[in-house]
């Protein structure tokens, strides 16, 4: 099991790591790079907790091999904002109490951001379909959908 | 496990002859099986660095869709979705937004699930696949690839480079419908793809109907030449199609549907998919 040397750009910074071929990109992010914002809910593409952007596409990092990331651009929740400088979606999620345990939240924020970049004025139905691959055990989804729609309205007005 | 990302098809075919070698496209089937230890590959050959394997190109005779092109790129292609709405809708039904970012047509076909969503639609569309072999390339119709669940007609060392979708000309239309127990993220109980064209008088000039999830492999309805061509798309003709579809079913009983249910639904979806394809053709 020889490890491969992988060069990527993560959240705008060049990053290199060694990956053995079996490791998922999610495992690399969490275990090797200490970027533990992306979560593992299922490991099989069903829950979306591991959502990241890979070369500008929303994907489940649990279903990407670490070695596939060579030469790629990756954006994770760690690049979206922090406690003192939050993304509008993050602020709205707090305002609407759109999270409880928070395990689904990083994935949902990444997915919702991708939606608003593609479609600044989504309908409720579009939000629900877009986020259908992000499971939440706690909130019942309604507050999440409202927070996304409310952010979209604010961002359009800004 | 070894990982390779060859840049030449000949390299990939040579690697694929190794014991326990699998090709990787979007990984949404392969990596799930790898994680659950259903598969233990010795060698994984990532196809995505090969030329044209992720390309969508308009050609003189139709379209080239690279075998590893993610669904999201296909469904975002305006001209292609206009020409083949049914094929693109079928691809758009695969999984979630995240899955769409990776899942490919080549993977959906070669995973060889009877319930694969895009397969009935591309078979109805009379699509040809271009296969990389040891000696270069060969072509085959998509309906000849899946043999039974998990088994394809590809020989050792072979893999699919891409698909040739014909030009959809004149008054033609296609459609795909599936029934799932939920509204998203589930496996088809039945899927139906229809592709047809009309002559100047509005009679059927060509028609292909393909069913998914009702037999061990996709079923292309036989004898439509005799029963449909040159005829008015009347209610009577629709009823004939419904009966042919039900007759073609040999489904399994499982938690998603009984044999009776699947057979009944196959008829209903055939009727609805036919009507959508017909309306699309008539609107041209
Ligand atoms: C959460 C989730 C939801 C899903 N929902 C659906 C759904 O609604 N409908 C549906 O039909 N499917 C669904 N799937 C299954 C899967 O996403 C599709 O079958 C997808 O199209 C597979 O494509 P891929 O590129 O990811 O294939 P991969 O996983 O890369 O490959 C699949 C298989 O095909 C082989 N293969 C891949 N490309 C080629 C090629 N070019 N030539 C020869 N062999 C090849 C691989 O070796 C492997 O055995 C779902 C999967 C997940 C995880
Ligand atoms: S952990 Fe990746 S989808 Fe659940
Ligand atoms: S807040 Fe707990 S899973 Fe969504």
């Amino acid at each position: 099991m020889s490890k491969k040397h992988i060069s990527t750009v993560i959240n705008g910074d060049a990053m290199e790591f060694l990956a053995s071929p079996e490791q998922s990109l999610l495992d690399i992010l969490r275990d090797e790079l200490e970027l533990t914002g992306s979560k593992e809910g299922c490991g099989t593409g069903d829950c979306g907790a591991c959502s990241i952007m890979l070369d500008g596409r929303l994907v489940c990092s649990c279903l990407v091999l670490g070695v596939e990331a060579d030469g790629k651009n990756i954006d994770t929740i760690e690049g979206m904002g922090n406690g003192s400088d939050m993304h509008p979606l993050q602020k709205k999620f707090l305002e609407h109490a759109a999270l409880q345990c928070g395990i689904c939240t990083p994935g949902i924020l990444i997915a919702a951001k991708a939606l608003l970049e593609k479609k600044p004025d989504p309908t409720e139905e579009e939000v629900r379909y877009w986020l259908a691959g992000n499971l939440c055990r706690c909130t019942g989804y309604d507050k999440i959908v409202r927070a996304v729609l409310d952010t979209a309205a604010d961002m359009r007005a800004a | 496990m070894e990982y390779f990302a060859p840049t030449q098809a000949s390299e990939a075919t040579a690697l694929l002859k190794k014991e326990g070698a699998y090709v990787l496209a979007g990984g949404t089937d392969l990596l799930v099986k790898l994680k659950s230890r259903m598969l233990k590959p010795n060698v994984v050959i990532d196809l995505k660095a090969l030329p044209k394997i992720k390309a969508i190109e308009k050609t003189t005779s139709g379209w080239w869709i690279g075998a590893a092109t993610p669904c999201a790129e296909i469904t975002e292609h305006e001209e292609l979705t206009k020409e083949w709405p049914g094929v693109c809708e079928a691809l758009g039904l695969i999984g979630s937004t995240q899955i769409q970012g990776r899942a490919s047509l080549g993977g959906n076909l070669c995973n060889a699930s009877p319930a694969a969503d895009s397969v009935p639609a591309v078979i109805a569309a009379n699509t040809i696949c271009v296969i990389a072999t040891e000696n270069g390339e060969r072509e085959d119709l998509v309906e000849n690839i899946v043999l039974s669940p998990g088994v394809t007609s590809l020989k050792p060392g072979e893999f699919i480079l891409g698909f040739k979708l014909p030009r959809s000309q004149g008054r033609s239309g296609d459609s795909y419908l599936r029934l799932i127990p939920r509204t998203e993220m589930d496996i088809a109980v039945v899927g139906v793809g229809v592709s047809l064209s009309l002559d100047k008088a509005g009679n059927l000039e060509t028609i292909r109907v393909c069913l998914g999830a009702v037999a061990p492999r996709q079923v292309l309805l036989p004898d439509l030449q005799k029963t449909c061509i040159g005829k008015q798309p009347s209610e009577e003709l629709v009823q004939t199609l419904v009966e042919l579809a039900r007759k073609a079913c040999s489904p399994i009983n499982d938690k998603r549907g009984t044999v009776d249910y699947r057979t009944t639904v196959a008829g209903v979806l055939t009727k609805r998919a036919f009507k959508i394809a017909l309306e699309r053709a008539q609107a041209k």
Side-chain angles (χ1 to χ4, degrees):
Chain A
M1 261 200 313
S2 61
K3 292 201 172 190
K4 272 198 159 47
H5 182 253
I6 307 297
S7 308
T8 57
V9 174
I10 303 184
N11 301 325
D13 297 327
M15 275 212 204
E16 311 206 347
F17 55 83
L18 291 173
S20 69
E22 295 78 10
Q23 274 179 302
S24 70
L25 181 55
L26 177 63
D27 288 343
I28 297 280
L29 292 171
R30 292 182 54 84
D31 302 342
E32 312 287 339
L33 305 176
E34 293 182 19
L35 294 169
T36 53
S38 308
K39 307 298 180 199
E40 176 156 24
C42 64
T44 51
D46 294 287
C47 77
C50 63
S51 297
I52 58 156
M53 300 301 283
L54 183 66
D55 275 353
R57 280 264 172 229
L58 181 67
V59 302
C60 294
S61 61
C62 71
L63 292 187
V64 178
L65 294 175
V67 287
E68 283 185 76
D70 199 26
K72 300 267 190 299
N73 218 313
I74 294 166
D75 292 294
T76 69
I77 187 67
E78 284 83 357
M80 197 161 159
N82 57 46
S84 53
D85 182 19
M86 284 191 283
H87 186 276
L89 273 165
Q90 293 172 312
K91 290 186 193 153
K92 283 288 175 212
F93 268 56
L94 287 179
E95 216 175 279
H96 284 260
L99 64 153
Q100 289 176 31
C101 79
I103 288 287
C104 68
T105 314
I108 291 186
L109 286 168
I110 288 284
K113 181 165 175 271
L115 169 65
L116 298 188
E117 276 160 13
K118 196 176 141 92
K119 230 181 207 146
D121 193 6
T123 63
E124 180 181 338
E125 192 181 0
E126 283 167 341
V127 173
R128 287 188 186 271
Y129 270 102
W130 184 273
L131 295 179
N134 290 90
L135 304 186
C136 175
R137 179 71 182 76
C138 307
T139 64
Y141 300 103
D142 226 55
K143 291 178 173 180
I144 293 173
V145 173
R146 273 170 227 237
V148 174
L149 287 169
D150 200 16
T151 313
D154 271 16
M155 285 174 78
R156 286 196 307 277
Chain B
M1 184 175 113
E2 284 184 290
Y3 169 87
F4 297 94
T7 53
Q8 296 296 325
S10 56
E11 256 179 277
T13 48
L15 286 165
L16 196 47
K17 297 206 88 177
K18 291 193 180 191
E19 181 76 27
Y22 290 85
V23 297
L24 168 71
T28 59
D29 280 315
L30 190 76
L31 297 187
V32 173
K33 288 183 187 166
L34 195 138
K35 289 194 155 192
S36 62
R37 299 182 192 279
M38 264 171 74
L39 277 185
K40 282 194 177 168
N42 294 325
V43 182
V44 165
I45 304 150
D46 189 346
L47 298 180
K48 295 188 291 295
L50 295 177
K52 284 182 54 163
I53 200 107
K54 285 182 77 181
I56 303 173
E57 281 167 17
K58 195 172 181 180
T59 62
T60 46
S61 57
W63 293 92
W64 167 267
I65 301 179
T69 314
C71 291
E73 276 175 41
I74 300 172
T75 58
E76 280 168 12
H77 196 292
E78 270 178 42
E79 211 184 340
L80 178 59
T81 47
K82 237 175 133 180
E83 196 171 318
W84 287 105
V87 167
C88 294
E89 281 159 9
L91 283 158
L93 286 172
I94 297 175
S96 57
T97 320
Q98 286 85 340
I99 298 296
Q100 289 275 308
R102 295 264 294 168
S104 67
L105 180 46
N108 200 220
L109 177 64
C110 296
N111 188 54
S113 158
D117 277 307
S118 67
V119 181
V122 289
I123 290 178
N126 215 356
T127 308
I128 289 169
C129 50
V130 179
I131 300 163
T133 72
E134 250 184 313
N135 314 313
E137 292 177 8
R138 68 178 178 95
E139 294 190 354
D140 201 349
L141 287 165
V142 172
E143 63 249 41
N144 295 333
I145 302 300
V146 179
L147 298 180
S148 60
V151 182
T152 69
S153 60
L154 297 177
K155 297 188 193 72
E158 291 187 339
F159 67 90
I160 297 182
L161 283 166
F163 297 85
K164 287 180 170 174
L165 210 57
R167 173 96 324 116
S168 170
Q169 272 165 332
R171 299 181 74 194
S172 54
D174 79 323
S175 63
Y176 175 78
L177 291 178
R178 72 167 180 188
L179 182 108
I180 53 174
R182 308 196 294 161
T183 51
E184 261 281 60
M185 300 283 285
D186 209 336
I187 299 171
V189 172
V190 178
V192 181
V194 176
S195 170
L196 55 81
S197 62
L198 304 173
D199 63 18
K200 287 207 178 77
N203 295 332
L204 282 166
E205 195 170 55
T206 61
I207 176 164
R208 286 167 67 90
V209 177
C210 184
L211 308 182
V214 294
R217 55 186 285 201
Q218 287 72 25
V219 194
L220 187 62
L221 290 196
D223 304 327
L224 296 190
Q225 197 69 22
K226 282 206 298 278
T227 44
C228 299
I229 305 305
K231 301 217 170 120
Q232 276 289 322
S234 60
E235 277 307 316
E236 196 189 329
L237 183 128
V238 174
Q239 207 42 49
T240 310
L241 278 177
V242 168
E243 278 153 31
L244 284 172
R246 290 189 173 142
K247 235 172 71 189
C249 294
S250 53
I252 51 165
N253 256 323
D254 76 356
K255 63 180 177 193
R256 289 197 173 72
T258 59
V259 169
D260 269 2
Y261 183 65
R262 284 178 197 258
T263 308
T264 306
V265 170
V268 174
L269 289 192
T270 298
K271 182 176 173 173
R272 291 182 189 168
F274 174 80
K275 290 193 170 170
I276 294 170
L278 180 66
E279 274 164 24
R280 284 175 174 164
Q282 284 170 338
K284 283 185 188 165

